[in-house]
Amino acid sequence: MRVLLFILSSLFFSSATAQDTLTVRIKGMKCEECGHKVMVAVKQLPGIESMRFNYERRTSTIVYDPAQTCADSIRARLAATGRFKASAYSPTEVIRRGFGLRMDDMHCQNCANRIAAKLQQMEGIDSMSPHLDKHYFFIRYDANRTCKDTIRTALKGLGFTPVNYYTGPKVGYAYYNIPAAQATQQTMDEVLILDGVEDVNVNAQRQSMAVTFFTDETNADRLLAGILAAGIKAQVPPPHECKE
């Protein structure tokens, strides 16, 4: 009798904890706001246990209870949104993405050559285009083989301070010298919450901080004032004389 009860309880527990996982491409999902809309739509179904998003790949990984819903129901729910239709995802397909990185500490052709040489060694880099006059690199890559964070980390390791670059007229960039001890995640978090700030990066090796900001929300003077008020000892560096 005890054996029978143990078997029955084991079967019940196994059934209660059963999970299936579905990963789909959602080409219309490009940002966290889109991801939130996808989550709201899918979680109207019963049995949805968790959802993870990769915005570079435009994928969602959905964990669900197969006793309450199924992959076809999830796909149908996404199709019903109109914008967020699901398609098959394969980790072996090529998913090309492109983005720009501003590096005010990229001063000359030697700097650009060092960056290009590093990128060429990395898996998943498709192509690149340096723009020395504007201190930025445009990089195309396969999001199934690398990602923005990996690329940024590699360039930071070379001694550069990359931040997001945009071609729009209402975007500004700032670059400061800071103490190496303040080149931390905490500093980035404190600057990122200032009005108009879109992106921040710091480099302890170079003792630098770079910021991308929206010019219709702040300007260089207000930005620096806010940074100093946060206790960050930032200074605008003198014009650079490249010695490479």
Side-chain angles (χ1 to χ4, degrees), residues 18 103 164 200:
M103 289 169 279
N164 293 337
V200 186

Side-chain angles (χ1 to χ4, degrees), residues 58-221:
R58 312 280 197 264
T59 61
S60 178
T61 298
I62 304 161
V63 178
Y64 63 95
D65 180 354
Q68 299 185 63
T69 191
C70 65
D72 286 344
S73 294
I74 294 170
R75 293 190 186 95
R77 184 71 197 93
L78 288 168
T81 66
R83 178 180 176 184
F84 300 116
K85 296 179 181 179
S87 60
Y89 166 72
S90 169
T92 62
E93 67 181 304
V94 175
I95 302 176
R96 287 190 175 88
R97 295 284 178 262
F99 73 123
L101 286 174
R102 168 93 174 198
M103 289 169 279
D104 278 274
D105 31 31
M106 179 181 71
H107 303 112
C108 65
Q109 188 61 52
N110 285 337
C111 295
N113 291 345
R114 286 173 55 214
I115 293 169
K118 180 64 177 180
L119 292 173
Q120 288 168 353
Q121 294 172 2
M122 295 177 64
E123 181 182 10
I125 301 298
D126 182 71
S127 62
M128 65 194 81
S129 178
H131 299 264
L132 274 173
D133 57 329
K134 296 181 180 179
H135 299 280
Y136 93 96
F137 250 79
F138 184 80
I139 303 163
R140 291 187 63 84
Y141 64 101
D142 177 0
N144 253 339
R145 296 164 62 205
T146 190
C147 66
K148 289 181 181 180
D149 284 347
T150 297
I151 295 168
R152 283 170 62 120
T153 298
L155 297 182
K156 187 173 175 177
L158 278 181
F160 298 98
T161 320
V163 286
N164 293 337
Y165 177 84
Y166 303 98
T167 57
K170 294 184 178 182
V171 182
Y173 306 93
Y175 185 84
Y176 309 100
N177 291 334
I178 61 172
Q182 288 193 312
T184 63
Q185 183 63 49
Q186 180 180 344
T187 292
M188 291 194 288
D189 292 341
E190 290 175 349
V191 175
L192 196 57
I193 64 174
L194 296 177
D195 289 345
V197 173
E198 191 275 337
D199 189 28
V200 186
N201 204 354
V202 297
N203 193 315
Q205 174 185 341
R206 191 176 281 270
Q207 299 184 36
S208 59
M209 178 170 68
V211 183
T212 302
F213 63 93
F214 296 121
T215 57
D216 57 352
E217 298 180 36
T218 191
N219 58 39
D221 291 338

Side-chain angles (χ1 to χ4, degrees), residues 25-39 51-60 84 95 97 141 143 148:
R25 288 282 303 279
I26 307 174
K27 293 185 178 179
M29 184 185 70
K30 299 180 180 180
C31 62
E32 290 184 6
E33 183 178 352
C34 295
H36 177 71
K37 292 177 180 177
V38 169
M39 182 177 292
M51 298 180 68
R52 299 193 310 275
F53 300 100
N54 185 309
Y55 298 110
E56 292 180 65
R57 295 174 184 167
R58 312 280 197 264
T59 61
S60 178
F84 300 116
I95 302 176
R97 295 284 178 262
Y141 64 101
K148 289 181 181 180

